[in-house]
Amino acid sequence: MSKFSKYVLVVDNVSSVTPTRDMEREASRYGRVRDCQVDHKERCALLEYHRADDAQYAWRKMDGTIMDGRKWKVEWATRGDFKFFGWKWTEGGPSDSPQRSPSPSYSPSHRGPTSVSKGGSWD
């Protein structure tokens, strides 16, 4: 089982003023978005695509996007990212598509840095 999602991206360095709908609109330029959840306090978001190839395309194109004065760092979501947002990891299961159930609470201390890098900077 892979340690990175095939459908879900984590976006770091999101502005605290960027509305979820604006992020979802930007992400939709690269494929059909199933879900978008932003944590403005931690300045990060999860973007889930319906198709793995759309997520791959978005990963390549969205990294480095500047929105509301912040340069995004886009990575593949990990189990830790799912846990942080209260999503349930089910990739590699029968449907091979992530399903999630909202958690009533989560702790930002569970959010760690992702390990996939494309050599960008954190401007």
Side-chain angles (χ1 to χ4, degrees):
M1 189 181 304
S2 175
K3 67 181 197 172
F4 297 105
S5 173
K6 295 188 297 185
Y7 299 90
V8 182
L9 302 172
V10 63
V11 182
D12 284 313
N13 204 30
V14 175
S15 172
S16 61
V17 300
T18 300
T20 301
R21 70 180 179 279
D22 289 357
M23 175 167 269
E24 189 168 357
R25 186 174 28 248
E26 177 66 23
S28 294
R29 294 176 58 201
Y30 308 106
R32 201 164 117 217
V33 175
R34 180 176 295 209
D35 197 5
C36 175
Q37 186 175 347
V38 180
D39 183 319
H40 288 101
K41 182 180 175 188
E42 296 297 318
R43 296 183 182 248
C44 60
L46 282 189
L47 293 169
E48 179 184 6
Y49 285 88
H50 281 272
R51 297 173 23 156
D53 59 334
D54 289 343
Q56 176 75 30
Y57 183 59
W59 176 68
R60 289 191 327 264
K61 294 295 195 173
M62 285 179 45
D63 189 44
T65 295
I66 298 174
M67 183 175 280
D68 296 325
R70 305 292 296 228
K71 186 175 180 180
W72 292 351
K73 181 66 181 161
V74 181
E75 304 284 357
W76 290 103
T78 66
R79 289 175 187 261
D81 297 319
F82 274 65
K83 185 176 180 180
F84 174 77
F85 278 91
W87 290 16
K88 182 179 178 184
W89 179 279
T90 59
E91 288 194 42
S95 69
D96 199 32
S97 177
Q99 305 282 325
R100 65 241 168 248
S101 56
S103 174
S105 66
Y106 58 86
S107 169
S109 64
H110 288 114
R111 171 97 168 96
T114 54
S115 59
V116 176
S117 178
K118 293 188 295 191
S121 65
W122 283 91
D123 296 323

